[in-house]
Amino acid sequence: MIHTSSTVCTPSVTDVPRHIAIIMDGNGRWAESRHLPRVSGHIKGLEAVRAIIGACATQGTAFLTLFAFSSENWRRPVDEVSFLMHLFISALEREILHLHTNDIRLRVVGDLSMFESRTQELIYHAEVKTAGNTGLTLTIAANYGGRWDILQATRKIAQQCIDGNSTIQNVNESSFAQHLAMAYAPEPDLFIRTGGEQRVSNFLLWQLAYTEFYFTRVFWPEFNDAELSKAIAAYRKRERRFGRTSAQLTQKLKNVDLISC
Ligand code: FPP
């Protein structure tokens, strides 16, 4: 299915967000506040990942996207980076069967060329194994950056034009979005960031154009089913206008010429 851009057409609004994207922040601070090493926050964070995947699958969210490692996270101390890599690989090895038996499709997005070939193969096999699953699509963003994504899409389009397979006139928001790493998913309805910071940190820069933002001070290791429910309750109270006026929405869009998607 091809998903078009929220700036080209107006998405329908559902009670349960179709796509939730999360920046799982606060692992280190959770650990430090308990006088534990930062890495124990990441281990505990993985437990929260399991719980939130389960909750999203149960409530009927179609897409869950988790920012596991940003293109800027390489700037962390070497030990922490290698621990995060190790945690990612071992989680992938251990959890894939569990995801598969729960009809969850796994996708990994980001510049994977930076990973060891063994890790790239593991990702490839996990994606192939779960490719036919029709429940939740879980996307792990690893060595991902929103700017990297926009650039890699731009390069592909430029190459198509150079090869004579497209023209500059063919480049528009919908055709551009089809070259983004997550072209298979609709734009996120709800973006959650835990840990108290209120920024996007180079996450899905293109796709967050009309996403509802929810920030919580709760550290990621403590983000659970109840916290997710709070985020969704807040989301339900939002008026998603996509550029329209409130009056237009209450008039049930009478006389408004809209292209829905
Ligand atoms: C941010 O917390 C968290 C990360 C950079 C890594 C997220 C990783 C996990 C939740 C565990 C593994 C996940 C998967 C999908 C295998 P932080 O370290 O920036 O916390 P701080 O802001 O308190 O320092």
Side-chain angles (χ1 to χ4, degrees):
M1 180 182 181
I2 292 174
H3 298 280
T4 36
S5 171
S6 61
T7 45
V8 174
C9 56
T10 314
S12 55
V13 177
T14 50
D15 235 18
V16 174
R18 277 160 303 208
H19 183 177
I20 301 178
I22 308 183
I23 294 188
M24 309 175 288
D25 200 8
N27 292 349
R29 279 167 290 157
W30 178 88
E32 282 159 6
S33 69
R34 283 163 178 73
H35 308 288
L36 295 167
R38 286 178 57 84
V39 292
S40 60
H42 297 314
I43 294 170
K44 190 79 181 157
L46 186 55
E47 287 175 28
V49 167
R50 284 194 200 99
I52 295 308
I53 293 171
C56 284
T58 306
Q59 74 183 10
T61 289
F63 297 89
L64 171 66
T65 302
L66 303 175
F67 207 5
F69 194 85
S70 78
S71 39
E72 289 72 52
N73 283 151
W74 297 104
R75 297 171 182 165
R76 291 187 173 213
V78 174
D79 284 358
E80 187 169 336
V81 169
S82 63
F83 184 86
L84 280 168
M85 288 298 150
H86 167 76
L87 193 64
F88 176 52
I89 295 163
S90 65
L92 209 57
E93 283 171 336
R94 267 186 292 118
E95 306 291 339
I96 195 63
L97 204 59
H98 181 66
L99 295 176
H100 188 47
T101 51
N102 283 282
D103 200 23
I104 295 170
R105 180 171 189 176
L106 178 79
R107 315 275 309 232
V108 180
V109 294
D111 181 2
L112 304 185
S113 66
M114 296 285 281
F115 294 128
E116 286 177 7
S117 54
R118 192 178 80 87
T119 310
Q120 292 183 37
E121 278 165 30
L122 192 64
I123 291 169
Y124 173 75
H125 289 300
E127 288 187 330
V128 169
K129 191 178 180 66
T130 60
N133 293 345
T134 55
L136 174 75
T137 295
L138 168 68
T139 301
I140 303 294
N143 193 25
Y144 177 88
R147 290 186 176 181
W148 163 84
D149 200 2
I150 291 168
L151 269 179
Q152 66 80 28
T154 307
R155 286 201 189 105
K156 282 185 197 156
I157 291 166
Q159 193 63 54
Q160 284 186 340
C161 292
I162 290 167
D163 295 344
N165 296 325
S166 188
T167 61
I168 288 170
Q169 288 70 31
N170 281 339
V171 183
N172 55 44
E173 290 186 22
S174 296
S175 67
F176 187 90
Q178 283 158 33
H179 293 278
L180 292 168
M182 288 193 66
Y184 54 85
E187 294 171 20
D189 298 299
L190 175 61
F191 161 86
I192 299 173
R193 182 173 187 144
T194 61
E197 311 289 357
Q198 302 195 0
R199 54 179 169 259
V200 173
S201 298
N202 199 15
F203 198 18
L204 303 160
L205 296 183
W206 175 281
Q207 296 92 332
L208 294 175
Y210 269 102
T211 301
E212 297 297 328
F213 284 25
Y214 178 85
F215 298 102
T216 170
R217 298 175 91 82
V218 172
F219 292 143
W220 176 251
E222 288 175 339
F223 193 81
N224 53 21
D225 218 336
E227 294 297 336
L228 180 68
S229 297
K230 275 192 217 167
I232 291 172
Y235 166 81
R236 285 193 183 133
K237 288 195 189 129
R238 306 277 174 89
E239 185 178 60
R240 302 197 72 193
R241 295 197 294 274
F242 298 101
R244 296 160 292 178
T245 66
S246 202
Q248 283 175 299
L249 291 181
T250 49
Q251 284 168 28
K252 298 243 182 306
L253 307 177
K254 239 188 285 167
N255 307 324
V256 183
D257 190 16
L258 286 173
I259 310 165
S260 300
C261 56

